[in-house]
Amino acid sequence: AVENNPGMNKWEIMSLEEGSLKTKLNRLNELIDEGLIETEYLKNHNASALKLTEKGRQIAIKLKKIRYILLKDDNSTDTENDEE
């Protein structure tokens, strides 16, 4: 969600999906602790915005590639494995 919505704060990001706010907050904090997301503090009203770090962007690209591999319809490979 952070990749597609840079500049949102934690609460805005967490409101995009259903589920436990505590769990989502914990996951966001873990990603921040791992250096995948960074908090940018804004000048007005002590607000903060989230964005991916370079490391986070690299991992997001790899995850997209993995998801593509998992989701692509490759019946020829399945057929070849069944014949063995």
Side-chain angles (χ1 to χ4, degrees):
V2 175
E3 178 186 19
N4 296 326
N5 301 288
M8 286 185 148
N9 64 38
K10 286 182 183 179
W11 299 111
E12 292 169 327
I13 292 292
M14 292 188 309
S15 70
L16 295 174
E17 302 286 332
E18 291 185 21
S20 164
L21 288 177
K22 184 176 180 179
T23 299
K24 291 187 279 188
L25 181 61
N26 288 340
R27 296 298 84 80
L28 276 173
N29 287 333
E30 289 171 0
L31 294 170
I32 291 168
D33 291 345
E34 290 297 325
L36 303 179
I37 295 175
E38 64 184 347
T39 303
E40 181 179 304
Y41 293 97
L42 308 174
K43 294 178 185 178
N44 54 345
H45 306 289
N46 294 328
S48 62
L50 300 177
K51 64 180 185 177
L52 292 180
T53 62
E54 180 57 34
K55 182 178 173 182
R57 282 188 288 280
Q58 291 174 5
I59 290 176
I61 290 168
K62 292 184 185 308
L63 288 173
K64 284 180 184 177
K65 290 178 182 179
I66 291 168
R67 184 164 189 218
Y68 172 77
I69 291 167
L70 291 172
L71 295 177
K72 76 178 183 178
D73 185 19
D74 190 0
N75 292 329
S76 62
T77 302
D78 292 338
T79 303
E80 290 172 10
N81 290 336
D82 290 342
E83 293 175 0
E84 292 179 6

